[in-house]
Amino acid sequence: MLSGYLEKVYAGFLGMNIGIRLGAPVEPTIWTYERIRDTYGEIRDYVKEYKNFAADDDANGPVFFLRALRDDASDRRLCPQDVARAWLNYTREGMGMFWWGGYGVSTEHTAYLNLKKGIPAPQSGSIAQNGKVIAEQIGGQIFIDTWGLCFPGRPKEAAEYGAIAASVSHDGEGVNGARFFCGCIAEAFVSDDIEHIMETGLKQLPEGSLYEAVVCAVMDFHRENPDDFRACREMLAAEWGYDRYKGNCHIIPNAGVCALAMLYGDGEFDRTVEIATMCGWDTDCNAGNVGTVLGVMKGCAGLPARYRRPVNDGIVLSGISGYLNNLDIPTYAKEVAVLGCRLCGEEAPEELKNSFCDGEIHFDFELPGATHNIRVSDPFFCSVSHTEVKAHGGRGALKIVMDRMDRGDSCRIYYKPFYKREDFSDERYNPVFSPTVYSGQTVSMQLDMELLNGWECPGAAPYIRTAGDGEIHKQGYIQLEKDTWKEITFRIPDTNGDLIDEVGIVLEGWSPAKAKTLAVLYLDDFSVTGDSCYSIDFGKQRKEFGQITPFAMDHGAWELEEGRLCLMCYEDAFAYAGNYYAKDYSVTTTICPITGENHLLLLRAQGAKRGYALGFSGQGKVAVYKNDFGFLRLAEADFGWETGKAYEMEACARGAELSLSVNGKELLKVRDDTFAYGMFGCGSLSMGRTEFGSFRIRTGHYMGWGG
């Protein structure tokens, strides 16, 4: 594998998200090229501050559609239907993921409904099915960056895979955009010549394509006018503008902007994404695409701190798994790099494979500049940054500067495993979250300290914060020692049905005011691992982003009523929560059927189309179903349940064994090894109403516990 491959994947994915964040606030239709120019002039930094930035389709697609390589094409060549299944599996219909602008209006909405109706890919995105205008909008270009990241120095293969992925929803020039950018991204791993990179991208296109023509037109103009990007933008508007291409966001004008930005950016990351944003049209898409290319080409050293700092190694997504929606960028870069090794026919290095684990938190701070989204509660007292001056067993760590803290002053240093609506400035693409840490798990970290001023070494208390009441739960203070790595470990306590939205340490200055504490701490090897045992009390939950915390709802009307989760639906409807990679676990709740024949719990749900459902099914029946892009009944038994009556139901998965118990009596037990892990949840396969009480979840060794 190429030297520095992982770092360039990391830089490319960071670059994509920086570009998206920069371009998003000035995205049409309100913001025109002229309005951006007259309002902001020369953009040299983010134009809007966000509490936390909720990613949109430009980030959702590259993350979730690439999962086709894990779910279906894990041991063979990719085909369009593999990616189509990822579309259907990870999407909440009508919410998040992409723009739901209507059938025949939004290309992605159109393709999704085609797939739902059984039209396979690539027919689902074809010109024959949807017409040329719909098929050649920009989406075929904006969802494909990660495919390019998987093929370092192999532009032909990258372009082929990008085209396969894009063909689910696009055709013609829409697919050509995928070919071009995947080729450029792949070549950026081995070249720092932006014109050569673009020429390599052009070689992946069919001869005589319109996409090739607009890129070449920009390249020709640049040769004659190398210093004035606005003159080039005027040429594009006159000869390749939106007035010439129908639809909401056609790919050809935006392809011109991307080519313009890469050329006039003169090989610099910041100038390239800034120009892409200043040129208007689809600003976040264009800045995101060119950000990936330049991120790979320049590496981490080429990403300015002013753009990296607000991203802080974290993005939030809008898929069906609230767990997967909280994405740590360094960890994700490692996942992509492992896939890239596999696609290139190489074994990933053991060090890489062992540096992360599905379903657990492992922050090693080894990648250049990595912060893993660690935050501070009070930036007056503390700041965090990456350092390679000192580390525990590796080359990188998190540097925490405590600046002149008096005795009694405190600041929290923490990872954020769950978000609430109040954490966001807007509701872009309706993100939804399940915590990534739970009661019963073990938190571990290494701390070292340099005391620069003060009478005593500062103290640190590991803690969690519960989301509903905002209460800080400290686990006891530990006085730190100078120049000595100290391991801090604790088990997360029971939160009594609340969720956890912070986990970390509280730092306190222990010196009096006349000898203020000034110290540098180093944090390394932060992890949250092990089995969990927790509950979800609906009296402590809330409705946010149109969902009930901590669930992601797909179809149905869901409400909170008197401490219960209430579902009313006219078709299949399910809610999903928990660790996406949970294996052996039990789920216990009370179920009160109100109307209808289906009142179910979910086990090992890997999305909308994969997993198991167990519970009441048909009058006087209980059943176990397997959902593998369609529900199949695995087993059925008699049980005389009644509407209006509450029952305690437990669904359990151990290895290949699935069981269902009602009121303490086991009614069904079956074996099926199709799905080894997944989320839990609840819902129905048909019209009806159901009330669900508080949930209790036990994983691994906690399944043997009572009470």
Side-chain angles (χ1 to χ4, degrees), residues 326-501:
N326 189 350
L327 186 143
D328 174 64
I329 292 178
T331 302
Y332 183 67
K334 294 173 182 179
E335 295 178 27
V336 173
V338 169
L339 289 174
C341 289
R342 190 186 87 198
L343 290 171
C344 293
E346 299 183 19
E347 185 70 23
E350 289 299 317
E351 181 181 6
L352 172 59
K353 291 190 293 185
N354 294 334
S355 65
F356 68 98
C357 179
D358 288 340
E360 296 184 343
I361 303 297
H362 290 276
F363 297 161
D364 58 16
F365 305 98
E366 290 298 282
L367 283 165
T371 58
H372 290 281
N373 207 13
I374 300 293
R375 303 161 179 238
V376 301
S377 64
D378 191 336
F380 179 79
F381 287 129
C382 292
S383 63
V384 298
S385 60
H386 182 268
T387 183
E388 294 186 1
V389 171
K390 184 178 288 190
H392 182 266
R395 67 177 183 179
L398 192 73
K399 178 181 178 181
I400 305 165
V401 177
M402 299 176 61
D403 190 0
R404 291 166 290 178
M405 294 176 71
D406 294 344
R407 181 174 292 166
D409 291 335
S410 66
C411 182
R412 306 190 307 278
I413 314 298
Y414 64 94
Y415 162 65
K416 192 166 183 59
F418 179 77
Y419 293 88
K420 298 179 287 188
R421 174 62 184 87
E422 66 191 46
D423 295 320
F424 294 88
S425 304
D426 56 15
E427 298 197 18
R428 289 174 57 82
Y429 283 78
N430 302 105
V432 62
F433 306 98
S434 280
T436 51
V437 303
Y438 294 95
S439 297
Q441 290 189 291
T442 297
V443 180
S444 178
M445 69 193 82
Q446 295 283 345
L447 285 176
D448 193 1
M449 186 203 65
E450 296 174 2
L451 184 63
L452 305 180
N453 190 70
W455 289 0
E456 292 186 77
C457 294
Y463 84 100
I464 63 164
R465 189 178 82 165
T466 40
D469 56 15
E471 184 176 346
I472 304 296
H473 303 266
K474 298 178 184 177
Q475 304 302 298
Y477 272 99
I478 300 168
Q479 189 162 11
L480 300 175
E481 301 175 21
K482 291 189 291 185
D483 301 316
T484 302
W485 284 103
K486 191 178 190 70
E487 184 177 20
I488 295 180
T489 301
F490 71 98
R491 181 171 291 178
I492 300 176
D494 189 356
T495 60
N496 296 311
D498 208 342
L499 310 176
I500 300 169
D501 72 346

Side-chain angles (χ1 to χ4, degrees), residues 44-95:
R44 296 291 184 177
D45 203 345
Y46 292 116
V47 301
K48 187 180 286 292
E49 293 185 12
Y50 293 89
K51 294 180 183 178
N52 291 284
F53 180 70
D56 56 20
D57 50 348
D58 309 291
N60 285 321
V63 171
F64 286 110
F65 302 157
L66 190 73
R67 293 188 67 86
L69 293 176
R70 297 184 61 152
D71 296 340
D72 287 303
S74 60
D75 56 359
R76 57 170 172 77
R77 181 176 172 78
L78 184 77
C79 71
Q81 193 61 20
D82 296 329
V83 183
R85 285 160 65 90
W87 275 64
L88 291 170
N89 190 51
Y90 292 103
T91 301
R92 293 171 290 153
E93 184 171 3
M95 299 189 72

